[in-house]
Amino acid sequence: RFVQRFAASRGRPISLCPKMTATRVRGKQSDRKRQRSPRPRQCRADAEVKTKEVACSKRKRRWTVNDVHNSVLKVFVWHVQPNYKQPWCSEAQTSSTSSAWPIRLNGALRVVTNAHSVEHAALVQVKRHRHEQKYVAQVLCIGTDCDLALLEVPHADFWKGLEPLEILPGLPKLQDSVSVVGYPTGGESLSVTQGVVSRIDLVEYAQTGVTLLAVQIDAAINSGNSGGPVVDQKGNCVGVAFQNLDGDEESAENIG
């Protein structure tokens, strides 16, 4: 309009380019559409959650050998086997020791051990590494086929400073270095034996005779190692020690 008025005052007719006018009009319409449909903004709560996740991932440190040792537990169990011939009478009470380790399941902390370690248990107690106090544990569930059991320790002091182990996704590879950590017979302190993965095959479980997948290693596994974790070099749990082959059986040596 300013150009038209200026041209009229000079007495010279002037016409605007229709292409420029149409382009300008389309530009205004597109600007209006942009104003009508603003870009979605990120929610402040989502941004805070992402920031926390990044911060947690940065704070996550690598596991060391001492961390794995501190997470291995010793289990004390008193067994009372039922008398099926005379149900009103109970058998003599026996005791045993085994190993265990903590795990996080759906946000809750639990203890993993073998099913045969807590079979017919009348009392179960767990003790941490380099601690003298024993805590009473409750058996939540038992899987006799896979020879695994979950324990619950309803004491807040027991879980202070206790880090759960991470389970390795998938199976280990042959010749991978592994360590068996637990409390076998022959001493009261923690024992660590090292070896490699020698075979991954279907094995008959001694608890129920069911044939399931198992990882065979050449590290020594003795009585008391049952329920203890088998970890790799990064501290991830690759399996649970549950049985071995004696030297007199099928001439086997160093098979766990």
Side-chain angles (χ1 to χ4, degrees):
R1 293 179 182 178
F2 177 77
V3 176
Q4 290 179 354
R5 291 177 183 178
F6 181 78
S9 62
R10 295 285 184 176
R12 297 176 182 177
I14 187 173
S15 62
L16 296 177
C17 180
K19 294 183 179 181
M20 295 178 60
T21 306
T23 304
R24 183 60 181 171
V25 172
R26 292 176 183 175
K28 291 182 179 181
Q29 291 179 357
S30 61
D31 293 341
R32 292 178 182 176
K33 291 181 179 179
R34 291 178 183 176
Q35 293 178 0
R36 292 178 182 178
S37 58
R39 295 181 180 179
R41 297 181 180 179
Q42 187 179 12
C43 180
R44 184 178 298 177
D46 296 339
E48 292 178 356
V49 170
K50 290 184 179 179
T51 305
K52 290 181 180 179
E53 290 179 355
V54 172
C56 293
S57 62
K58 290 182 179 179
R59 288 197 302 266
K60 188 176 181 180
R61 58 184 179 86
R62 293 184 60 183
W63 274 74
T64 61
V65 178
N66 293 330
D67 294 332
V68 177
H69 293 178
N70 294 330
S71 297
V72 180
L73 312 172
K74 188 172 184 179
V75 183
F76 302 85
V77 184
W78 284 261
H79 308 267
V80 178
Q81 189 173 0
N83 189 346
Y84 297 102
K85 293 182 179 180
Q86 297 177 348
W88 55 90
C89 298
S90 59
E91 298 290 341
Q93 189 178 35
T94 59
S95 62
S96 66
T97 59
S98 57
S99 306
W101 49 282
I103 188 176
R104 187 182 299 275
L105 296 175
N106 298 327
L109 292 173
R110 298 289 184 262
V111 175
V112 179
T113 187
N114 282 145
H116 70 264
S117 300
V118 295
E119 187 178 15
H120 306 307
L123 177 63
V124 180
Q125 291 181 329
V126 293
K127 183 175 75 70
R128 293 177 56 178
H129 179 52
R130 294 178 179 176
H131 287 70
E132 296 299 330
Q133 186 176 359
K134 299 177 182 178
Y135 296 87
V136 178
Q138 300 175 359
V139 181
L140 289 181
C141 57
I142 296 179
T144 56
D145 291 341
C146 59
D147 199 3
L148 291 175
L150 281 179
L151 308 180
E152 181 184 11
V153 184
H155 299 279
D157 296 337
F158 172 79
W159 298 104
K160 289 183 179 179
L162 185 62
E163 294 291 337
L165 297 182
E166 297 291 337
I167 299 178
L168 178 70
L171 293 174
K173 298 180 181 179
L174 295 177
Q175 295 299 318
D176 281 354
S177 298
V178 293
S179 300
V180 181
V181 189
Y183 295 89
T185 57
E188 296 294 332
S189 60
L190 188 70
S191 173
V192 181
T193 57
Q194 295 181 351
V196 296
V197 177
S198 57
R199 180 185 295 175
I200 301 176
D201 200 355
L202 296 175
V203 177
E204 182 179 352
Y205 283 31
Q207 175 68 6
T208 56
V210 179
T211 302
L212 296 174
L213 188 65
V215 178
Q216 180 178 303
I217 60 177
D218 63 354
I221 295 179
N222 298 313
S223 178
N225 278 122
S226 297
V230 180
V231 297
D232 58 6
Q233 294 180 346
K234 296 182 180 180
N236 297 320
C237 181
V238 300
V240 181
F242 70 100
Q243 70 182 26
N244 64 348
L245 294 179
D246 297 332
D248 297 335
E249 183 179 354
E250 299 178 1
S251 299
E253 294 181 359
N254 294 335
I255 296 180

